Amino acid sequence: MRPILMRVPALILLLTLVALTGCGGGGADSTTTNNATYTIGGTVTGLVGNGLVLQNNAGDDLELNADGSFVFTTVVADKAGYDVSVLSKPGLPNQNCSVSQGMGSVSAGNVDSVLVNCSIAMTGGLTGPVPQAVAVQGTIAYSAASSGLLTLDITDPGNPIELGYINTPGDAVGIAVTGSYAYVADDSGLLIIDVQDPASPVIVDSYDLPGNTLGIAVSGNYAYIANLSSGLQILDISNPVAPVKVGRVNISGAQGVAVNSNTAYVAASTAGLRVIDVSDPAAPTEVGFYDTAGSAVAVALSGNYAYVADLFKGLRVIDVSNPNAPAEVGFYDTPNNAKSVAISGNTAYVADYGSGLRVIDISNPAAPSESGSIDTQGFATGVAVTGGYAYVADNANGLRVIDISNPVNPLEIGFYNADRPGNAWDVAVSGNDAYVADGFNGVKIIDISNAAAPLTVGTYDSPGTARAIAIDGSYAYVADDNSLQVLDISNPAAPVLAGSNNQLGRVWDIAVSGNYVYVADVSSGLRVVDISNPASPTEVGSYALPGTAYAVAVNGNYAYVADYDKGLRVIDISNPAAPVEVAFVDTPGDARDVTVSGSHVYVADTYSLRVIDITDPTVPVEVGVVVLNTGFAQHVAVSTSRAFVTEYDGGLRVVDISDPSAPIDLDFYDTPGYAYGVTVTDKHVYVADYGAGLEIF
């Protein structure tokens, strides 16, 4: 019996183990559920740069270089948390990326709902105020200066001093100041800027409008906005930080506005002067109009008269004593384009664009006559008058202060022009410096070692209009009207003229290769200049082209010229003294720029980017094209799989050229000015933004 008794405990133990196994945590299925893992992923959109790196839970780095779906490598347990974030932003161009639906806990399934959206963003920039309009209050001048609002201390009118500057999101072109606020017409709407401390202006609110906002007037608790496409808009600004739209009149082409009591007068382009009853701002009504001879862009009021800046038809004097029946009683045909007008006593002061400030005697409104004038050198677009001085917004030539105590002989006594690029045509980069061809402001040299905070370190006042620039070693080569300027930039803070050749035609673009500069001369084709002695650049060869040579690029023994309406021309320069054309491609548009990358040439051609295979330069073949719809293609720069095209008022466009035969338009950035020149390095894209300055992406 003993052996049998000894088996009982063993049997009990076995049964116990079986029972425990059967009820341990819900069986095999339950164990699987507890150990389940799931993937984390989602979708990225708007990605045009390279090097976007995402993380989940501060790890599991995932690099992405194109739109589409993504999934992290590391799986996550059921009920565990996930947290998706951006570790590194994309570059070339710089982009900001935001994550939505990126946090949560796994719930028995894969997560594929994380959304990442990217958009092109400026890394930094150095934009110069380019005065478009000006208003004066007390001892402060306020200028709507293209890319921002500029405030100046004019206690001493002969020595205006910058107090503050704030970038605006669009193109600041009109301004009115009342109390502690500046109201700025900023391209697409109204900006309200607190200027209680003129040294530190602050944007406190904005009001977006469709179309282009060009003019602004303030009367009482209301702002009157002239918008090119949506007419006269009236906002209640009794609370400046919370403007409220109360009324509107649909006037096509509204550019300028002035208000007198219960009547608003709108300069409405080719629709002339429109007269609006605003006694009830919530229900404005047009009561009269006068169709001026030109294109009404601005208006000023004095007594019973409205004085209209009528562009190419000068100054028009309209009797508005009966607002229902305005009638022209006199005019003065200024020599250029009347852009703005201010009235003081019996004198009208007209900003006449290319012919400066015109002083018009209006003591007899029926027979206005010019008393005097002064050429401000730039392009006069705005004028304000106070205390015996006229303050002229002279575009890229800054703010000019004119003593008008003697109307017959107005004298400039001071000016302000920022030490920042504002008339930028072109940009080249060498090391830690960007060199900007800044129009008639010459050359600006900018330290870009910190791309987020560029700083002007040097300037060179070239004799003409600096339109293009190229760097080679310790020298900068500048296309400057009819001359080639050679600058010694061994010390970027103090550039020095090393030599020049002033016997060229209209120098529009340049390329440096070896001991030669190749010049795109719009008047005579391709010019070849020997720069082996920088102190004495000497022309050694030329080739006349059938079109208008706008740009040139050199690769090996060939120069590629963008010849405007005659397309791309290929010039053999193996003998620089005797260049000869070997081939051409007649592009359908106007070839404005050209760049070479590998075996392809990229041509900015009006509304398109053309890709041309130059494997055999004597037989160039177009292999790809992408149509660009936002503006005129001006310049193009290429970096690996991306082409960057400037489109003037269309900003900067990014094109995928990873397959040159099938380029893809990816995205664009609407720069505040007119995007013209562009260059690219291994880290950033640099845009010469005419009317704004240098922008870095």
Side-chain angles (χ1 to χ4, degrees):
M1 299 294 295
R2 185 169 180 154
I4 295 174
L5 291 174
M6 289 179 65
R7 291 191 181 105
V8 172
L11 179 60
I12 293 172
L13 177 60
L14 177 62
L15 292 173
T16 301
L17 290 171
V18 170
L20 288 172
T21 302
C23 63
D29 290 342
S30 177
T31 301
T32 302
T33 301
N34 277 351
N35 294 332
T37 56
Y38 299 97
T39 58
I40 307 298
T43 305
V44 59
T45 58
L47 179 59
V48 298
N50 296 309
L52 169 63
V53 179
L54 301 179
Q55 284 191 325
N56 182 33
N57 294 329
D60 196 17
D61 294 3
L62 176 64
E63 182 172 343
L64 302 172
N65 290 302
D67 279 356
S69 60
F70 64 88
V71 176
F72 285 97
T73 302
T74 303
V75 294
V76 176
D78 188 30
K79 312 233 183 280
Y82 61 91
D83 183 358
V84 178
S85 60
V86 175
L87 175 64
S88 299
K89 299 192 302 182
L92 288 181
N94 177 67
Q95 291 191 279
N96 288 333
C97 298
S98 60
V99 178
S100 57
Q101 299 174 202
M103 296 179 64
S105 298
V106 174
S107 179
N110 295 329
V111 175
D112 61 3
S113 57
V114 179
L115 300 177
V116 180
N117 181 256
C118 300
S119 59
I120 300 174
M122 282 177 56
T123 301
L126 195 61
T127 54
V130 179
Q132 305 284 333
V134 60
V136 175
Q137 183 173 265
T139 59
I140 309 297
Y142 301 85
S143 179
S146 197
S147 58
L149 171 68
L150 171 69
T151 61
L152 298 169
D153 184 339
I154 53 170
T155 304
D156 176 5
N159 183 35
I161 299 171
E162 179 176 339
L163 292 175
Y165 180 74
I166 185 170
N167 280 314
T168 53
D171 194 12
V173 295
I175 187 168
V177 180
T178 181
S180 298
Y181 295 93
Y183 299 85
V184 176
D186 184 59
D187 199 27
S188 60
L190 174 70
L191 291 176
I192 302 176
I193 301 177
D194 186 334
V195 291
Q196 184 171 353
D197 179 1
S200 300
V202 178
I203 297 174
V204 294
D205 210 338
S206 62
Y207 192 90
D208 291 336
L209 292 168
N212 294 322
T213 299
L214 299 177
I216 176 77
V218 174
S219 179
N221 288 327
Y222 298 95
Y224 299 83
I225 302 168
N227 184 279
L228 202 60
S229 60
S230 58
L232 177 68
Q233 305 272 344
I234 305 176
L235 303 184
D236 184 334
I237 54 170
S238 53
N239 180 3
V241 300
V244 178
K245 178 181 174 181
V246 295
R248 171 177 178 257
V249 178
N250 187 17
I251 301 172
S252 178
Q255 295 201 50
V257 58
V259 179
N260 182 18
S261 185
N262 291 324
T263 309
Y265 300 85
V266 179
S269 305
T270 55
L273 180 70
R274 321 302 289 194
V275 184
I276 314 297
D277 182 341
V278 292
S279 54
D280 180 1
T285 305
E286 182 170 333
V287 295
F289 75 92
Y290 183 82
D291 189 6
T292 58
S295 181
V297 295
V299 56
L301 306 173
S302 181
N304 289 326
Y305 299 96
Y307 296 85
V308 178
D310 206 32
L311 210 60
F312 54 89
K313 287 298 183 178
L315 178 70
R316 319 303 290 194
V317 185
I318 314 297
D319 184 337
V320 291
S321 54
N322 179 2
N324 298 320
E328 181 172 286
V329 295
F331 70 90
Y332 181 80
D333 194 4
T334 58
N336 202 262
N337 290 315
K339 296 280 286 183
S340 179
V341 57
I343 308 297
S344 180
N346 289 324
T347 307
Y349 299 87
V350 178
D352 198 40
Y353 203 58
S355 68
L357 179 70
R358 319 306 292 193
V359 183
I360 314 296
D361 183 343
I362 53 171
S363 53
N364 179 3
S369 60
E370 184 168 284
S371 302
S373 66
I374 182 170
D375 187 353
T376 53
Q377 302 303 313
F379 297 99
T381 56
V383 58
V385 174
T386 184
Y389 299 97
Y391 297 85
V392 179
D394 206 33
N395 209 263
N397 204 36
L399 183 75
R400 320 306 288 193
V401 184
I402 314 298
D403 184 337
I404 51 173
S405 55
N406 179 3
V408 176
N409 186 32
L411 297 173
E412 180 175 302
I413 61 163
F415 70 91
Y416 174 82
N417 202 2
D419 191 21
R420 298 188 282 267
N423 202 19
W425 283 76
D426 194 19
V427 57
V429 173
S430 178
N432 287 326
D433 295 299
Y435 298 80
V436 179
D438 199 34
F440 47 75
N441 293 322
V443 175
K444 296 284 195 301
I445 303 174
I446 299 166
D447 183 336
I448 53 170
S449 53
N450 179 359
L455 178 68
T456 300
V457 294
T459 62
Y460 175 76
D461 188 12
S462 60
T465 300
R467 286 192 174 89
I469 190 165
I471 309 298
D472 187 57
S474 297
Y475 293 95
Y477 299 88
V478 183
D480 191 68
D481 281 345
N482 67 340
S483 73
L484 173 68
Q485 302 276 306
V486 184
L487 306 183
D488 182 337
I489 54 170
S490 51
N491 178 5
V496 178
L497 180 66
S500 65
N501 185 320
N502 303 316
Q503 304 303 314
L504 303 172
R506 294 182 64 201
V507 182
W508 212 258
D509 191 30
I510 53 178
V512 180
S513 181
N515 288 326
Y516 299 95
V517 168
Y518 296 86
V519 175
D521 182 339
V522 295
S523 60
S524 60
L526 180 69
R527 316 284 286 263
V528 185
V529 179
D530 185 335
I531 53 168
S532 54
N533 179 5
S536 182
T538 304
E539 183 172 1
V540 294
S542 65
Y543 187 85
L545 292 169
T548 304
Y550 259 69
V552 58
V554 174
N555 186 41
N557 288 326
Y558 296 93
Y560 300 86
V561 180
D563 203 32
Y564 203 61
D565 59 333
K566 298 301 181 182
L568 175 73
R569 320 304 292 196
V570 185
I571 314 297
D572 184 335
I573 53 171
S574 54
N575 180 1
V580 60
E581 182 173 284
V582 294
F584 71 91
V585 176
D586 191 5
T587 57
D590 295 328
R592 293 171 179 262
D593 193 32
V594 57
T595 192
V596 181
S597 180
S599 59
H600 294 90
V601 163
Y602 297 84
V603 179
D605 193 58
T606 309
Y607 289 111
S608 67
L609 177 68
R610 327 295 297 193
V611 186
I612 298 171
D613 188 325
I614 54 165
T615 302
D616 180 354
T618 64
V619 188
V621 179
E622 182 175 302
V623 294
V625 61
V626 60
V627 176
L628 310 171
N629 296 315
T630 53
F632 285 102
Q634 298 291 327
H635 284 261
V636 57
V638 171
S639 176
T640 58
S641 62
R642 297 288 187 266
F644 301 94
V645 183
T646 52
E647 294 188 284
Y648 202 59
D649 56 352
L652 174 69
R653 187 158 289 277
V654 185
V655 178
D656 183 345
I657 54 169
S658 51
D659 178 359
S661 65
I664 301 170
D665 184 3
L666 294 176
D667 201 359
F668 78 100
Y669 182 92
D670 189 7
T671 60
Y674 298 95
Y676 198 76
V678 60
T679 193
V680 60
T681 66
D682 59 345
K683 292 183 179 180
H684 297 289
V685 181
Y686 299 83
V687 175
D689 199 33
Y690 187 90
L694 174 68
E695 279 133 29
I696 306 173
F697 298 88

